[in-house]
Amino acid sequence: MTRLSPRHPRYASLRIRARLAESARKGIVVPEGLIAHGRAEAFDYFLGERTTPSAREAIRAAATWLVNAERPVVSVNGNVASLAASSLAALQRVRPGLQVEVNLFHRTPGRAARIARVLTDAGVHDVLGVRPTGRIPGLPSDRAHVDRRGILVADVCLVPLEDGDRTEALQAMGKRVIAIDLNPLSRTARAADIPIIDELTRALDALTREVRRAGPRRPSEFDPFDARGALRAAQAAMARGLQRAGGRPRSEPRASPRSSPATPRRSRRTP
Amino acid sequence: MTRLSPRHPRYASLRIRARLAESARKGIVVPEGLIAHGRAEAFDYFLGERTTPSAREAIRAAATWLVNAERPVVSVNGNVASLAASSLAALQRVRPGLQVEVNLFHRTPGRAARIARVLTDAGVHDVLGVRPTGRIPGLPSDRAHVDRRGILVADVCLVPLEDGDRTEALQAMGKRVIAIDLNPLSRTARAADIPIIDELTRALDALTREVRRAGPRRPSEFDPFDARGALRAAQAAMARGLQRAGGRPRSEPRASPRSSPATPRRSRRTP
């Protein structure tokens, strides 16, 4: 494995990538999950790798919905388990009754069991979904598997890093969907009742803090949330980040000039 | 494997992802390569998934450099082989003398041989680099391996999807570097003499066309290129793409409204 220096300007990202690569080798994360993570990295980079004010509002609203829900469930895939198992355990601790269900787009019994193991090792209780016992209507059968004690009967679903088809199918069943997704343009983000446009672990940790701070429980009260406004704010933040980024100084010094008999290396200074 | 419908709005991307996932399972593409591809996808999405006018200028300049070079070499890693082996073969056909060298960040003898096989199966001739016989100064030994008949003695290196450290090291050796990279902010893009900010296969196919059209050869003449301008133009195009994207209509119809006893689902229409 690459030896990473903590001084490397991209140390945190590189560590996460290394962890995911290792999870891939262990069969916890699938290739498609790695590609999805790369996409998320790009979006987070433009966002400035921080929870925006708009995302914070979404997280507060989501915390209230989770507290007020009767049967809240978090859906967990390989990426989520690999990146955020301990954050999930912390969230479950502050919200007793929050179900955690292994729910995979690319399901095999082996993967489901391995992912459940990652969760329980991190302190998550009563992991559902290792054996599929229910079906989401409207999805191809290999994508429809759920636990009939969990997602099937949930009123509020927290779906990090979820697929667009499945997000829409959950809503079609009448569930309230809170998504965590770094892409404000994704179908998942656009379908969710509360889209949290933030990096997974940051969002879950902030959600845990907001749940702890939440006021008295008002069962089944779900205040409206301006999802479209949240998406617009996220997009605007990313557009600004993209424009700003070009002015940033290089993180490493330039290589020494080439000694070349041909045209002098003036190319960068040509106006 | 997921059955992909050609009618799916993201069919082309999904096919490429499926191909990469398959290459990963065959040990041709490494997990880090999949993550990198995901990042590239995000950038290409904002670029509008087309060759910009600025990228086209870079491609023309690159074509001239490749034609005028004495010892041009293309560096190939697992992602490049998986995505663009036949495009490379086509480029080699229009530019006889262009060396193609397998050059891996995560090298193992097995991977190098498998990647060489993918290239030769696609029609690439005389693939170098299966056995490392030279070293790039200044890099850790496991990243420094090159072929002494290829990159080591090249005057112009075409490096698609390359690592920043290695791009800078090649320049420090006095080589002219043409990079293909969808991230205008990457170290590779910022270090290259000619950064082509475009998707790999699009860029290689356009490069092939421009090489075919290029004027008479002027040996070792390398006209200056405004690399910084190219990067700025790419960034500006992406920032515009990001802002525009929010106005795009949804590619799938909305799910039917939920029947819910609680607060009516007005959240999306709240101003």
Side-chain angles (χ1 to χ4, degrees), chain A residues 8-42:
Chain A
H8 193 291
R10 302 298 301 156
Y11 177 66
S13 288
L14 294 178
R15 257 193 70 168
I16 289 169
R17 278 183 219 167
R19 184 194 308 174
L20 276 169
E22 191 53 33
S23 295
R25 291 172 180 111
K26 289 180 182 158
I28 290 162
V29 171
V30 291
E32 294 78 356
L34 294 173
I35 296 174
H37 179 76
R39 283 200 304 280
E41 276 193 353

Side-chain angles (χ1 to χ4, degrees), chain B residues 9-269:
Chain B
R10 300 299 302 157
Y11 178 66
S13 289
L14 294 179
R15 255 193 72 167
I16 288 169
R17 279 183 218 167
R19 185 195 305 176
L20 276 170
E22 191 53 32
S23 296
R25 292 177 179 108
K26 290 181 182 162
I28 290 163
V29 171
V30 290
E32 293 79 357
L34 294 173
I35 295 175
H37 178 78
R39 281 199 304 282
E41 276 193 352
F43 286 105
D44 201 21
Y45 189 75
F46 296 141
L47 213 49
E49 293 173 324
R50 39 119 206 179
T51 299
T52 63
S54 163
R56 195 162 292 286
E57 283 179 38
I59 288 166
R60 277 192 197 114
T64 304
W65 281 25
L66 287 176
V67 166
N68 293 346
E70 298 288 355
R71 292 172 306 285
V73 183
V74 188
S75 173
V76 176
N77 61 27
N79 280 36
V80 174
S82 173
L83 293 168
S86 32
S87 298
L88 280 174
L91 179 60
Q92 198 185 41
R93 279 194 294 274
V94 301
R95 195 352 181 146
L98 175 66
Q99 302 268 51
V100 177
E101 177 173 332
V102 175
N103 199 260
L104 307 182
F105 192 87
H106 301 270
R107 169 178 278 273
T108 66
R111 272 195 78 223
R114 280 193 293 276
I115 289 168
R117 182 63 184 274
V118 169
L119 295 173
T120 48
D121 283 353
V124 178
H125 299 296
D126 304 313
V127 174
L128 303 181
V130 179
R131 266 186 291 279
T133 49
R135 299 274 318 275
I136 298 176
L139 291 175
S141 63
D142 58 340
R143 305 275 180 257
H145 295 311
V146 290
D147 196 309
R148 67 177 176 225
R149 302 165 292 169
I151 284 176
L152 197 68
V153 296
D155 53 348
V156 176
C157 293
L158 172 59
V159 293
L161 316 186
E162 184 52 87
D163 171 67
D165 277 340
R166 305 205 319 168
T167 304
E168 287 171 2
L170 290 172
Q171 284 193 323
M173 292 176 78
K175 300 175 189 312
R176 292 172 191 278
V177 178
I178 302 163
I180 302 175
D181 192 315
L182 270 161
N183 180 359
L185 310 167
S186 71
R187 282 170 56 212
T188 294
R190 292 159 95 171
D193 296 293
I194 300 180
I196 299 171
I197 309 301
D198 201 3
E199 190 275 328
L200 175 67
T201 306
R202 277 200 313 264
L204 288 173
D205 292 347
L207 200 47
T208 299
R209 287 190 297 271
E210 294 294 339
V211 164
R212 209 184 280 125
R213 269 183 212 155
R217 187 165 180 263
R218 296 171 285 138
S220 293
E221 283 200 39
F222 305 110
D223 297 333
F225 180 75
D226 181 11
R228 197 148 281 184
L231 298 180
R232 277 197 308 263
Q235 243 174 288
M238 286 180 188
R240 285 192 302 270
L242 187 48
Q243 278 160 327
R244 249 198 325 261
R248 200 172 296 161
R250 289 168 62 102
S251 51
E252 279 80 23
R254 262 182 207 288
S256 51
R258 280 175 309 128
S259 51
S260 163
T263 316
R265 188 176 166 189
R266 283 205 213 92
S267 56
R268 285 183 194 285
R269 287 150 193 79

Side-chain angles (χ1 to χ4, degrees), chain A residues 104-107 136 139-145 166, chain B residues 1-2:
Chain A
L104 308 182
F105 192 87
H106 300 271
R107 169 178 278 275
I136 297 176
L139 291 176
S141 63
D142 57 340
R143 305 276 180 257
H145 295 310
R166 305 204 320 167
Chain B
M1 178 142 76
T2 316

